[in-house]
Every structure is written in C-alpha cells, then in structure tokens.
Amino acid sequence: MRTGKMKAFALTMAGAMIFMLAACSSGQEGGGTTDNSSSSGGGEKSGEQVTITFQNIYPDPTTPAHKMMNQLVEQYEKDHPNIKIELDSLNTDQQKLKLKTQAASKEVPDITIVNPAAQMKPFVDAGLLAPLNDVVDRDNLKDKFQDGLLNYYSFDSNVYALPDGNNIEVVYYNKALFEQAGIKETPKTFDELLEVVKTLKAKGITPIAIGEKDSWTGSLLFMNILLRTNGGPGFLQDVIDGKKTFNDPAFTEAVAAFQELVKAGAFPDGATSIDYNAGGNIFKTGKAAMYIMGTWETGAIDSSSVADQVAAFQFPTVNGKGDVNEYIIAPGSAFAISANSEHLEETKDFLHYFMTEMPKVKFELKDAVGSGHKIEGDFKAAGYSELAVGLNELFKNIKGGDLAFDNTMNPAVAQAHLSSIQNLFVTDADPAQVAQEHQAAFEANPQ
C-alpha cells in the first residue's frame, strides 16, 4: 500500500522479520504454563465449571498448527480444572460462512477467527468483538508481536484481535517433479512460468495445486500477478483514493495473464470443487509440482511425505514488470473474543495464555516461519528444514507489497471479486469485461 501504514509495515517486514539468534528464553519446556498465564485469576475466582467455545481454522490433525492448538488447550485445561475449551474446527471458508450466520444473530463464539483490516471492520462496527487492550497490555504481550502488526487489527485505538502469523506468498515447488520433467531452473519471468506449466502438463504432472472451492485461493494468486503488472504495490489503494479505476491497463493485463495460466492447464481438473485443504494435499502428496501459497504452509509441508523434495522461489516478474522482493503480504487470521461472551474474564485469560505460549510451541514444532511474533531462536541450529531456512532468508530482503484483495476492499466488493476470479477457472472471459464488473461493484459499494 502507499498509505503511511503500509510504508511502515514494509519497513517492519524488512527488519522485524529477521529472527533473533538467541535461544528460546521462556524458561519452559514444551507447552508448559507460566506464572503469568493465570495471574488475572481467570476461571479460578470460583469453582464453577466454565466452557469456552474456541472456533478455529485448524481442522487438519496432521498440521503443526492443529498440534500447537491442542497442546496449549490441553495444558491450560490441566492447569485450570474448572475450564473446558470446546473446539469448533473448520476450514477457512466454512468458518467465515458460519461466523457471518452467528454474527447475524449476535451469537459469536467466545473466541472466533477474523481477518485483518477491511474484513473484520464490519464485526467491530456492529459491536460484536471485545476490545483486547487489557489482554495485550498485560505482561507486555503487545511487545511480543512484530512492530506495527497489531495496527491491522485495531480501530479507534482499540485492539480487537490477535494474529497467528505474518506471511508472504511464495511458489513452493517439488524438485523431484521438476527434475522428472527435465526442468533445470525455476522460472524468473511469467513467460518462463507458462513454459514450465506446459512442460509439466505434457509429462502428465499437475503443474499447480489449488483448492478454488475456497475462492480466496485464486484471488491470492491473481494478486501476485496484479502486483507485478502494476509495477509495484498500491493498485487497490489507488482505486480507493480515486487515482485509478479497475479499467486501468494494469488490471486487465493481470486478468489476461491469469487466463493464460488457466488455458495452459496449470490447475487440477475441477479446481473449483476442491477445497483449500484438499488442494494443498495435492501438492503435499507429490501429485502437483507447484503450490502458490503463503508461508504459513511451511510447517505442514515439512511434515508431509514430500518434505525433502520441496524448495520455494519468488513469484516471477510479468511482462518485464515488478520486483520479486515485493510480495503479497498476509497479516494472519486472528483470534477475537465475543463482546457478549458469558465468560469474558476467563476467555481473555485463556487467550492471553494461548498467545503468550504460541511462539515457543510453534518454534518447537518447527512451524515458526511466518510467525507474527518476534521469534527468538536460531532456525538452522534448531534443525529447521532447508526450505524453512531459505524462506527465512527471503524475509530479510522484503521491500514491501500489498495485502490480499479481501483485506483491502469492503466485503461487498471483495465478494464480487472472489466470484469473478473463481469464474475465470471455468469461463473464458474478456479481461475488459472482468475489469468493468469490478468497477461496477466498487462504485455500487463505496468504501
């Protein structure tokens, strides 16, 4: 973005994401508790039994995120015998849809998942989320997050959610499948990417895994292309500020390039009927050569059967435009607390514990790439994979980038966009018409 906040964030990404080379210093082993975790007395003031509903997007038991969540929940329940954490684990799109329904009836779970900036603002405006200033002020928890990150979850000086990560989007690739297809180098330009796609397709290998039933996945890939065709960050902000429209050549060029990938057979057959988890598993089981996704997937890839075969590269330039050190940046999904929770104090206490202990456990599970916390640890010495260490090096050279479409535009415009991009997987559309559809949605739903 070209706003002051985005400039500050770009500097943060270039600096704060250089992980410190000290040993983990919580003085704990595993997911053990700290004295601070219950210092507020949450859940211990009386012997009453309390159930906290914890809606999350970690349904896959094979992933480090799922293991981290369960480890922390089990430890907290052990240390607080009168507290029961009831998990409601859903995939991302299921959770978004369920939360909308719950919000309409003002029955938001004690803890739920929201996404930053424009996506969470309607919930804040409706008074559905509790301010968490007291949670982040306690034990200086706010200082454990990367500088500036909490701004994406704050409105009117109140923090309303605590993020689980801070990621960039990269192209994971299976070195063995590249070798099998005779591909010796990773593509540096979009034309080279198309050639790689065609070569893989000719060898009977699915080029790019995706689960476009969850429509944000195609949008995230598309935004990489737009970041390049625009020559850098800021296209959506320019539209919001009235400096550009969606009819701008940068946008139509991006649509045309995206369609080239579809026409080249880049994606699995029936991509729009495959959900996010299943799409990722196509890559993680060695059935696809590339996976264009956020670095939050690193831990899951390292836990998969193809772990030793995977490396990553930066999304290439498009028609000679763009800087590969600029990325689609993804401040993570975040944990929010219902303003109407019947157990507000206990829920805040649990969330404080969860967010305090999370970085240590993620590091131990080798899932700390793309963390929103200031992770203290030497990745290489801790036995992290070559993939993780390599990605950590990419973080050091970030020059900035853009947020996802649905984290920038209001929900009505975002939904029109998601549907439009999803349609490109099954329909050959005129890029100018796609651009005009976006512009019409934007004009009908001003920010």
Side-chain angles (χ1 to χ4, degrees):
M1 293 298 157
R2 292 179 182 168
T3 61
K5 184 164 69 173
M6 189 61 217
K7 290 178 181 177
F9 185 59
L11 293 174
T12 296
M13 292 290 290
M17 295 198 75
I18 301 175
F19 297 113
M20 301 162 62
L21 301 180
C24 284
S25 58
S26 65
Q28 301 273 312
E29 296 293 332
T33 59
T34 67
D35 291 339
N36 291 335
S37 68
S38 60
S39 61
S40 73
E44 295 185 352
K45 292 195 305 180
S46 69
E48 71 170 312
Q49 293 298 309
V50 170
T51 298
I52 295 171
T53 302
F54 184 7
Q55 192 174 86
N56 65 85
I57 52 172
Y58 305 144
D60 186 346
T62 67
T63 63
H66 180 93
K67 295 172 183 176
M68 174 274 297
M69 174 182 68
N70 278 274
Q71 180 174 328
L72 293 180
V73 165
E74 290 171 8
Q75 185 63 54
Y76 190 84
E77 288 180 333
K78 179 180 178 181
D79 295 333
H80 302 78
N82 64 313
I83 302 289
K84 169 66 177 174
I85 310 297
E86 185 176 275
L87 298 175
D88 181 20
S89 302
L90 307 162
N91 71 35
T92 302
D93 270 19
Q94 288 173 336
Q95 187 271 332
K96 285 183 178 180
L97 183 60
K98 185 171 184 178
L99 179 59
K100 285 181 181 179
T101 302
Q102 292 168 323
S105 58
K106 297 187 176 181
E107 296 179 348
V108 174
D110 296 300
I111 299 176
T112 190
I113 297 292
V114 295
N115 286 283
Q119 282 198 64
M120 66 180 289
K121 189 173 187 297
F123 300 107
V124 174
D125 291 345
L128 296 173
L129 306 182
L132 302 179
N133 297 37
D134 53 339
V135 176
V136 296
D137 287 342
R138 181 175 149 203
D139 304 324
N140 294 315
L141 177 59
K142 62 185 175 185
D143 294 335
K144 297 179 182 179
F145 291 95
Q146 292 168 20
D147 296 340
L149 182 58
L150 293 181
N151 291 341
Y152 289 96
Y153 311 87
S154 301
F155 299 88
D156 298 325
S157 300
N158 288 317
V159 179
Y160 286 95
L162 305 182
D164 63 355
N166 193 18
N167 295 271
I168 55 175
E169 192 170 14
V170 298
V171 186
Y172 296 100
Y173 74 104
N174 186 312
K175 293 179 287 186
L177 292 181
F178 267 46
E179 183 177 348
Q180 181 181 325
I183 302 168
K184 300 185 183 302
E185 294 184 357
T186 57
K188 303 298 188 295
T189 69
F190 191 76
D191 286 342
E192 291 177 359
L193 177 62
L194 285 173
E195 287 305 311
V196 166
V197 164
K198 293 172 184 177
T199 299
L200 290 164
K201 189 74 174 176
K203 293 290 185 179
I205 300 168
T206 299
I208 302 174
I210 199 167
E212 180 55 13
K213 183 177 181 180
D214 293 349
S215 54
W216 62 269
T217 59
S219 169
L220 205 59
L221 195 163
F222 171 81
M223 286 298 293
N224 282 276
I225 302 174
L226 180 59
L227 177 63
R228 300 291 185 251
T229 59
N230 192 54
F235 181 86
L236 295 183
Q237 190 62 50
D238 281 348
V239 172
I240 292 170
D241 294 341
K243 298 176 182 178
K244 290 183 178 179
T245 72
F246 282 103
N247 298 312
D248 187 273
F251 192 83
T252 54
E253 185 181 356
V255 174
F258 187 89
Q259 287 187 304
E260 287 189 77
L261 280 176
V262 175
K263 292 174 183 177
F267 306 109
D269 293 337
T272 57
S273 63
I274 301 170
D275 68 19
Y276 168 70
N277 288 328
N281 284 334
I282 294 173
F283 179 78
K284 286 176 271 190
T285 55
K287 298 174 183 174
M290 291 179 283
Y291 187 34
I292 304 174
M293 190 49 64
T295 47
W296 60 78
E297 279 286 353
T298 304
I301 290 171
D302 279 341
S303 299
S304 74
S305 61
V306 297
D308 295 338
Q309 303 166 17
V310 177
F313 61 90
Q314 297 149 303
F315 196 86
T317 59
V318 179
N319 299 329
K321 300 174 185 177
D323 185 329
V324 296
N325 288 312
E326 292 174 337
Y327 298 84
I328 295 304
I329 297 170
S333 54
F335 303 97
I337 292 179
S338 170
N340 299 317
S341 171
E342 294 181 3
H343 308 290
L344 188 59
E345 183 178 342
E346 293 88 347
T347 302
K348 284 184 175 182
D349 187 77
F350 168 70
L351 185 59
H352 180 275
Y353 164 82
F354 190 87
M355 299 308 295
T356 298
E357 296 296 304
M358 175 192 285
K360 175 165 55 63
V361 176
K362 284 175 72 73
F363 186 86
E364 292 166 352
L365 291 171
K366 298 185 173 53
D367 191 36
V369 173
S371 173
H373 290 81
K374 297 174 182 176
I375 296 291
E376 298 180 352
D378 185 326
F379 278 38
K380 190 171 183 178
Y384 272 70
S385 68
E386 289 185 17
L387 171 64
V389 173
L391 288 172
N392 198 34
E393 289 303 307
L394 292 185
F395 277 116
K396 296 178 182 180
N397 297 311
I398 292 172
K399 293 182 180 178
D402 276 332
L403 299 184
F405 194 106
D406 53 1
N407 287 338
T408 307
M409 291 288 178
N410 66 44
V413 180
Q415 187 55 56
H417 161 76
L418 294 172
S419 298
S420 182
I421 298 301
Q422 188 180 58
N423 189 52
L424 295 180
F425 283 83
V426 295
T427 302
D428 186 10
D430 178 3
Q433 181 60 37
V434 173
Q436 184 52 41
E437 290 172 359
H438 279 73
Q439 185 63 25
F442 176 75
E443 292 174 359
N445 300 278
Q447 292 290 101

PDB file of all heavy atoms in Angstrom, residues 40-59:
ATOM      1  N   SER A  40      -4.323 -13.238  36.300  1.00  0.00           N
ATOM      2  CA  SER A  40      -5.531 -12.436  36.469  1.00  0.00           C
ATOM      3  C   SER A  40      -6.571 -13.180  37.292  1.00  0.00           C
ATOM      4  O   SER A  40      -7.601 -12.637  37.643  1.00  0.00           O
ATOM      5  CB  SER A  40      -6.133 -12.094  35.098  1.00  0.00           C
ATOM      6  OG  SER A  40      -6.721 -13.245  34.544  1.00  0.00           O
ATOM      7  N   GLY A  41      -6.305 -14.475  37.508  1.00  0.00           N
ATOM      8  CA  GLY A  41      -7.283 -15.271  38.239  1.00  0.00           C
ATOM      9  C   GLY A  41      -8.414 -15.736  37.369  1.00  0.00           C
ATOM     10  O   GLY A  41      -9.430 -16.201  37.866  1.00  0.00           O
ATOM     11  N   GLY A  42      -8.268 -15.632  36.036  1.00  0.00           N
ATOM     12  CA  GLY A  42      -9.335 -16.035  35.141  1.00  0.00           C
ATOM     13  C   GLY A  42      -9.728 -17.469  35.372  1.00  0.00           C
ATOM     14  O   GLY A  42      -8.919 -18.362  35.265  1.00  0.00           O
ATOM     15  N   GLY A  43     -11.009 -17.730  35.658  1.00  0.00           N
ATOM     16  CA  GLY A  43     -11.501 -19.074  35.838  1.00  0.00           C
ATOM     17  C   GLY A  43     -11.201 -19.661  37.195  1.00  0.00           C
ATOM     18  O   GLY A  43     -11.630 -20.760  37.488  1.00  0.00           O
ATOM     19  N   GLU A  44     -10.469 -18.947  38.048  1.00  0.00           N
ATOM     20  CA  GLU A  44     -10.096 -19.517  39.330  1.00  0.00           C
ATOM     21  C   GLU A  44     -10.725 -18.776  40.508  1.00  0.00           C
ATOM     22  O   GLU A  44     -10.507 -19.119  41.639  1.00  0.00           O
ATOM     23  CB  GLU A  44      -8.574 -19.531  39.472  1.00  0.00           C
ATOM     24  CG  GLU A  44      -7.889 -20.443  38.466  1.00  0.00           C
ATOM     25  CD  GLU A  44      -6.407 -20.544  38.701  1.00  0.00           C
ATOM     26  OE1 GLU A  44      -5.894 -19.798  39.544  1.00  0.00           O
ATOM     27  OE2 GLU A  44      -5.756 -21.371  38.056  1.00  0.00           O
ATOM     28  N   LYS A  45     -11.515 -17.742  40.201  1.00  0.00           N
ATOM     29  CA  LYS A  45     -12.113 -16.984  41.296  1.00  0.00           C
ATOM     30  C   LYS A  45     -13.167 -17.814  42.021  1.00  0.00           C
ATOM     31  O   LYS A  45     -13.428 -17.599  43.189  1.00  0.00           O
ATOM     32  CB  LYS A  45     -12.742 -15.698  40.763  1.00  0.00           C
ATOM     33  CG  LYS A  45     -11.728 -14.689  40.256  1.00  0.00           C
ATOM     34  CD  LYS A  45     -12.334 -13.324  40.086  1.00  0.00           C
ATOM     35  CE  LYS A  45     -13.536 -13.364  39.195  1.00  0.00           C
ATOM     36  NZ  LYS A  45     -14.149 -12.034  39.023  1.00  0.00           N
ATOM     37  N   SER A  46     -13.762 -18.760  41.303  1.00  0.00           N
ATOM     38  CA  SER A  46     -14.754 -19.632  41.916  1.00  0.00           C
ATOM     39  C   SER A  46     -14.567 -21.015  41.351  1.00  0.00           C
ATOM     40  O   SER A  46     -13.817 -21.222  40.395  1.00  0.00           O
ATOM     41  CB  SER A  46     -16.167 -19.125  41.614  1.00  0.00           C
ATOM     42  OG  SER A  46     -16.470 -19.299  40.241  1.00  0.00           O
ATOM     43  N   GLY A  47     -15.263 -21.961  41.900  1.00  0.00           N
ATOM     44  CA  GLY A  47     -15.133 -23.330  41.424  1.00  0.00           C
ATOM     45  C   GLY A  47     -16.097 -23.674  40.321  1.00  0.00           C
ATOM     46  O   GLY A  47     -16.176 -24.833  39.927  1.00  0.00           O
ATOM     47  N   GLU A  48     -16.837 -22.694  39.826  1.00  0.00           N
ATOM     48  CA  GLU A  48     -17.837 -23.006  38.806  1.00  0.00           C
ATOM     49  C   GLU A  48     -17.188 -23.546  37.540  1.00  0.00           C
ATOM     50  O   GLU A  48     -16.104 -23.150  37.154  1.00  0.00           O
ATOM     51  CB  GLU A  48     -18.669 -21.770  38.462  1.00  0.00           C
ATOM     52  CG  GLU A  48     -17.928 -20.706  37.691  1.00  0.00           C
ATOM     53  CD  GLU A  48     -18.839 -19.622  37.157  1.00  0.00           C
ATOM     54  OE1 GLU A  48     -19.869 -19.968  36.563  1.00  0.00           O
ATOM     55  OE2 GLU A  48     -18.514 -18.438  37.337  1.00  0.00           O
ATOM     56  N   GLN A  49     -17.872 -24.490  36.909  1.00  0.00           N
ATOM     57  CA  GLN A  49     -17.403 -25.040  35.655  1.00  0.00           C
ATOM     58  C   GLN A  49     -17.716 -24.071  34.519  1.00  0.00           C
ATOM     59  O   GLN A  49     -18.837 -23.572  34.395  1.00  0.00           O
ATOM     60  CB  GLN A  49     -18.054 -26.391  35.390  1.00  0.00           C
ATOM     61  CG  GLN A  49     -17.621 -27.491  36.366  1.00  0.00           C
ATOM     62  CD  GLN A  49     -16.133 -27.775  36.276  1.00  0.00           C
ATOM     63  OE1 GLN A  49     -15.589 -28.001  35.194  1.00  0.00           O
ATOM     64  NE2 GLN A  49     -15.459 -27.763  37.421  1.00  0.00           N
ATOM     65  N   VAL A  50     -16.704 -23.804  33.708  1.00  0.00           N
ATOM     66  CA  VAL A  50     -16.823 -22.835  32.615  1.00  0.00           C
ATOM     67  C   VAL A  50     -16.424 -23.519  31.314  1.00  0.00           C
ATOM     68  O   VAL A  50     -15.397 -24.181  31.240  1.00  0.00           O
ATOM     69  CB  VAL A  50     -15.911 -21.611  32.869  1.00  0.00           C
ATOM     70  CG1 VAL A  50     -15.846 -20.718  31.635  1.00  0.00           C
ATOM     71  CG2 VAL A  50     -16.407 -20.828  34.083  1.00  0.00           C
ATOM     72  N   THR A  51     -17.263 -23.343  30.296  1.00  0.00           N
ATOM     73  CA  THR A  51     -16.938 -23.842  28.957  1.00  0.00           C
ATOM     74  C   THR A  51     -16.719 -22.665  28.026  1.00  0.00           C
ATOM     75  O   THR A  51     -17.574 -21.785  27.906  1.00  0.00           O
ATOM     76  CB  THR A  51     -18.055 -24.741  28.399  1.00  0.00           C
ATOM     77  OG1 THR A  51     -18.206 -25.889  29.239  1.00  0.00           O
ATOM     78  CG2 THR A  51     -17.733 -25.198  26.979  1.00  0.00           C
ATOM     79  N   ILE A  52     -15.552 -22.642  27.384  1.00  0.00           N
ATOM     80  CA  ILE A  52     -15.207 -21.595  26.423  1.00  0.00           C
ATOM     81  C   ILE A  52     -15.204 -22.219  25.033  1.00  0.00           C
ATOM     82  O   ILE A  52     -14.490 -23.198  24.775  1.00  0.00           O
ATOM     83  CB  ILE A  52     -13.805 -21.014  26.724  1.00  0.00           C
ATOM     84  CG1 ILE A  52     -13.805 -20.306  28.086  1.00  0.00           C
ATOM     85  CG2 ILE A  52     -13.357 -20.062  25.622  1.00  0.00           C
ATOM     86  CD1 ILE A  52     -12.428 -19.894  28.562  1.00  0.00           C
ATOM     87  N   THR A  53     -16.018 -21.671  24.151  1.00  0.00           N
ATOM     88  CA  THR A  53     -16.065 -22.170  22.766  1.00  0.00           C
ATOM     89  C   THR A  53     -14.970 -21.496  21.954  1.00  0.00           C
ATOM     90  O   THR A  53     -14.903 -20.269  21.887  1.00  0.00           O
ATOM     91  CB  THR A  53     -17.437 -21.892  22.133  1.00  0.00           C
ATOM     92  OG1 THR A  53     -18.455 -22.500  22.926  1.00  0.00           O
ATOM     93  CG2 THR A  53     -17.498 -22.469  20.728  1.00  0.00           C
ATOM     94  N   PHE A  54     -14.132 -22.305  21.331  1.00  0.00           N
ATOM     95  CA  PHE A  54     -12.962 -21.814  20.605  1.00  0.00           C
ATOM     96  C   PHE A  54     -13.099 -22.207  19.135  1.00  0.00           C
ATOM     97  O   PHE A  54     -12.740 -23.299  18.720  1.00  0.00           O
ATOM     98  CB  PHE A  54     -11.705 -22.436  21.225  1.00  0.00           C
ATOM     99  CG  PHE A  54     -10.396 -21.955  20.664  1.00  0.00           C
ATOM    100  CD1 PHE A  54     -10.313 -20.915  19.753  1.00  0.00           C
ATOM    101  CD2 PHE A  54      -9.212 -22.573  21.069  1.00  0.00           C
ATOM    102  CE1 PHE A  54      -9.090 -20.490  19.252  1.00  0.00           C
ATOM    103  CE2 PHE A  54      -7.975 -22.155  20.575  1.00  0.00           C
ATOM    104  CZ  PHE A  54      -7.920 -21.117  19.655  1.00  0.00           C
ATOM    105  N   GLN A  55     -13.636 -21.284  18.352  1.00  0.00           N
ATOM    106  CA  GLN A  55     -13.750 -21.511  16.907  1.00  0.00           C
ATOM    107  C   GLN A  55     -12.389 -21.253  16.267  1.00  0.00           C
ATOM    108  O   GLN A  55     -11.746 -20.247  16.557  1.00  0.00           O
ATOM    109  CB  GLN A  55     -14.810 -20.573  16.330  1.00  0.00           C
ATOM    110  CG  GLN A  55     -15.234 -20.884  14.909  1.00  0.00           C
ATOM    111  CD  GLN A  55     -16.389 -19.983  14.488  1.00  0.00           C
ATOM    112  OE1 GLN A  55     -16.165 -18.870  14.022  1.00  0.00           O
ATOM    113  NE2 GLN A  55     -17.616 -20.448  14.662  1.00  0.00           N
ATOM    114  N   ASN A  56     -11.966 -22.154  15.383  1.00  0.00           N
ATOM    115  CA  ASN A  56     -10.621 -22.041  14.803  1.00  0.00           C
ATOM    116  C   ASN A  56     -10.621 -22.579  13.382  1.00  0.00           C
ATOM    117  O   ASN A  56     -11.602 -23.170  12.917  1.00  0.00           O
ATOM    118  CB  ASN A  56      -9.621 -22.790  15.678  1.00  0.00           C
ATOM    119  CG  ASN A  56      -9.892 -24.278  15.681  1.00  0.00           C
ATOM    120  OD1 ASN A  56      -9.446 -25.013  14.807  1.00  0.00           O
ATOM    121  ND2 ASN A  56     -10.669 -24.746  16.670  1.00  0.00           N
ATOM    122  N   ILE A  57      -9.487 -22.387  12.693  1.00  0.00           N
ATOM    123  CA  ILE A  57      -9.349 -22.871  11.314  1.00  0.00           C
ATOM    124  C   ILE A  57      -8.184 -23.853  11.208  1.00  0.00           C
ATOM    125  O   ILE A  57      -7.447 -23.859  10.235  1.00  0.00           O
ATOM    126  CB  ILE A  57      -9.176 -21.706  10.325  1.00  0.00           C
ATOM    127  CG1 ILE A  57      -8.039 -20.765  10.759  1.00  0.00           C
ATOM    128  CG2 ILE A  57     -10.471 -20.938  10.169  1.00  0.00           C
ATOM    129  CD1 ILE A  57      -7.681 -19.710   9.725  1.00  0.00           C
ATOM    130  N   TYR A  58      -8.078 -24.714  12.222  1.00  0.00           N
ATOM    131  CA  TYR A  58      -7.023 -25.727  12.249  1.00  0.00           C
ATOM    132  C   TYR A  58      -7.635 -27.125  12.290  1.00  0.00           C
ATOM    133  O   TYR A  58      -7.416 -27.891  13.232  1.00  0.00           O
ATOM    134  CB  TYR A  58      -6.124 -25.543  13.475  1.00  0.00           C
ATOM    135  CG  TYR A  58      -5.497 -24.177  13.639  1.00  0.00           C
ATOM    136  CD1 TYR A  58      -5.332 -23.630  14.916  1.00  0.00           C
ATOM    137  CD2 TYR A  58      -5.068 -23.433  12.550  1.00  0.00           C
ATOM    138  CE1 TYR A  58      -4.735 -22.382  15.080  1.00  0.00           C
ATOM    139  CE2 TYR A  58      -4.481 -22.184  12.713  1.00  0.00           C
ATOM    140  CZ  TYR A  58      -4.318 -21.670  13.975  1.00  0.00           C
ATOM    141  OH  TYR A  58      -3.732 -20.424  14.150  1.00  0.00           O
ATOM    142  N   PRO A  59      -8.402 -27.522  11.270  1.00  0.00           N
ATOM    143  CA  PRO A  59      -9.095 -28.810  11.353  1.00  0.00           C
ATOM    144  C   PRO A  59      -8.238 -30.025  11.027  1.00  0.00           C
ATOM    145  O   PRO A  59      -8.600 -31.143  11.392  1.00  0.00           O
ATOM    146  CB  PRO A  59     -10.201 -28.655  10.301  1.00  0.00           C
ATOM    147  CG  PRO A  59      -9.610 -27.745   9.266  1.00  0.00           C
ATOM    148  CD  PRO A  59      -8.759 -26.778  10.046  1.00  0.00           C
TER     149      PRO A  59
END
